[in-house]
Amino acid sequence: MTQRVALATVLDRLAIDALITGYAVAVDDGAWSDYAALFAPDGRVDYRGAGGVEGPAVEVARWLEETMRLFPVRQHLIVNRRIDLEDLGGYTGDRAEVRADYLNPMCLARQTASGPDAGEAGAARSGAATPDFVTGGRYTFTLHRAEAGWLIRTVTVHEKWRRAPGP
């Protein structure tokens, strides 16, 4: 592998890491148009492994927008990222797979005297800083390189465990 190929590989890995981080930030911030922009035009999402839906990324973004209103405070921690770049005889190709573990604590919306909490500030004021719902598992992303950079072709959630509110 030449230095030029090695540098290109490092740059690809950094760009892919930024894409996966962008995914987590978009979900946590409720930036649904940013979320949809991370996907290829034919991008698909499969959240059935965590009790969610499967479908085109744009449709799933709308579903998330409605569903995540229950959890105005959420934080995805995506760790242990394993990036496998397509190998074309020593050169990286235009496809990659990422397997990454996640931990996702979320706080339920609370009713206050002035109405439902509106995000982090409201949750902190009402004492909802402790997560009500925590889930962990693994994401599998398939990616492809487009002219504008790396995009998500598919993401699949494999939930391994959850702690939900209960008695």
Side-chain angles (χ1 to χ4, degrees):
M1 182 182 297
T2 67
Q3 276 189 317
R4 183 170 287 159
V5 171
L7 178 59
T9 300
V10 168
L11 292 174
D12 281 334
R13 289 180 176 281
L14 288 171
I16 288 168
D17 190 68
L19 178 68
I20 302 307
T21 298
Y23 169 88
V25 170
V27 172
D28 292 344
D29 290 351
W32 306 117
S33 60
D34 293 349
Y35 173 91
L38 299 170
F39 288 83
D42 63 344
R44 295 192 68 82
V45 180
D46 187 350
Y47 291 151
R48 292 177 294 181
V53 300
E54 185 277 334
V58 173
E59 291 178 20
V60 173
R62 286 192 291 266
W63 175 81
L64 281 170
E65 184 173 12
E66 291 299 316
T67 304
M68 290 297 115
R69 288 182 184 168
L70 296 172
F71 302 99
V73 179
R74 51 195 176 267
Q75 182 178 30
H76 281 74
L77 305 172
I78 300 181
V79 299
N80 301 334
R81 301 172 196 214
R82 290 169 303 273
I83 300 171
D84 294 318
L85 291 164
E86 179 182 35
D87 184 352
L88 300 176
Y91 296 90
T92 57
D94 293 334
R95 292 182 290 178
E97 181 175 295
V98 178
R99 289 176 314 278
D101 296 330
Y102 70 86
L103 176 66
N104 182 16
M106 298 184 286
C107 297
L108 287 164
R110 299 278 196 270
Q111 293 291 327
T112 65
S114 60
D117 289 343
E120 294 177 33
R125 280 192 309 273
S126 67
T130 302
D132 297 295
F133 182 89
V134 183
T135 180
R138 181 165 293 153
Y139 286 114
T140 302
F141 297 89
T142 60
L143 312 174
H144 89 278
R145 185 195 326 259
E147 278 190 43
W150 288 95
L151 295 172
I152 300 169
R153 174 145 299 162
T154 65
V155 60
T156 304
V157 175
H158 309 278
E159 184 178 79
K160 293 182 177 184
W161 62 272
R162 72 171 56 184
R163 182 187 57 80

